[in-house]
Amino acid sequence: MTVGIVGLGLIGGSFAKAYKKSEHTVYAFDVDKKMLDFAKLSGAVDEELTFDNIKECKLILLCVYPDAAVEYLSVAAEYISKDTFVIDCCGTKVKVCKECFEIADKHGFTFVGGHPMAGTQYSGFKYSKANMFKGAYMVLVPPKYDDMAFFEEIKTLLEPAQFGHFSVISAEEHDKIIAFTSQLAHVVSNA
């Protein structure tokens, strides 16, 4: 399978390493060209993700901040294959899901909101690791909630990351829960 990864920080880098370890082809895009070159040299990425090769991807993971995820998808959408699944990995879901569901519907591919519940106190590609998601929860915000075959396909696409649990929730409920369990903790620690 060919996977496209947008953003090579801690999360995107860990996905890249997990998929390469499982012998998949990884294309990646990062605004920092030096980071992309380093990821290629390290063996985590095969090639740069471009509008010319994005159609080859069965899965695209948007591992950037919410506004950047929406912006990237709005520009790339016309080049994405109708057989492709796009999953964002942003920490908030309402805005991203609303806008990305509309973009996907307009262009005929599948978008699923996602939030991998894993990480470290460090950020950046240099702290990424292939087993970052092993046993972790992956929260999904799907466009439809009543299709078990659809969920099985998503789980299969994400199998190289080795998530231990999947949770399905609405974007609104996700953001409400995350505001108290994660974002509030960040505010308190920074105070």
Side-chain angles (χ1 to χ4, degrees):
M1 171 172 61
T2 300
V3 178
I5 297 175
V6 178
L8 287 171
L10 179 68
I11 300 300
S14 294
F15 272 119
K17 290 175 180 179
Y19 280 85
K20 278 306 297 175
K21 185 176 181 183
S22 295
E23 300 182 2
H24 294 283
T25 301
V26 177
Y27 296 160
F29 171 80
D30 196 282
V31 293
D32 183 349
K33 183 79 166 120
K34 289 179 183 174
M35 181 52 57
L36 177 61
D37 290 342
F38 179 76
K40 286 167 61 178
L41 280 172
S42 74
V45 172
D46 294 295
E47 294 294 333
E48 181 176 7
L49 178 65
T50 67
F51 295 151
D52 291 329
N53 64 19
I54 200 168
K55 280 193 181 311
E56 298 172 31
C57 297
K58 178 63 177 168
L59 173 65
I60 298 171
L61 297 163
L62 304 176
C63 304
V64 292
Y65 291 116
D67 287 340
V70 172
E71 182 181 337
Y72 180 87
L73 193 60
S74 66
V75 173
E78 67 182 282
Y79 304 100
I80 296 173
S81 168
K82 293 183 183 342
D83 297 328
T84 300
F85 281 72
V86 178
I87 302 174
D88 84 280
C89 299
C90 301
T92 59
K93 297 271 73 81
V94 172
K95 178 185 179 184
V96 172
C97 286
K98 179 186 179 306
E99 295 188 35
C100 291
F101 283 143
E102 290 174 7
I103 293 167
D105 285 344
K106 179 180 176 185
H107 293 278
F109 58 84
T110 302
F111 174 81
V112 177
H115 187 182
M117 305 304 291
T120 71
Q121 69 271 32
Y122 304 109
S123 61
F125 182 82
K126 75 177 189 174
Y127 296 106
S128 63
K129 52 189 179 178
N131 65 350
M132 175 72 68
F133 310 110
K134 186 174 184 176
Y137 275 86
M138 176 61 157
V139 178
L140 299 172
V141 179
K144 52 189 173 185
Y145 291 83
D146 60 350
D147 185 342
M148 291 310 293
F150 177 76
F151 289 116
E152 287 303 315
E153 186 167 6
I154 294 169
K155 286 171 67 176
T156 299
L157 290 170
L158 292 171
E159 198 171 273
Q162 298 182 316
F163 287 104
H165 312 276
F166 289 88
S167 177
V168 177
I169 194 168
S170 72
E172 294 77 14
E173 192 64 24
H174 169 276
D175 287 0
K176 188 187 321 179
I177 292 168
I178 292 300
F180 288 105
T181 60
S182 180
Q183 304 304 332
L184 184 61
H186 287 293
V187 170
V188 170
S189 71
N190 284 318

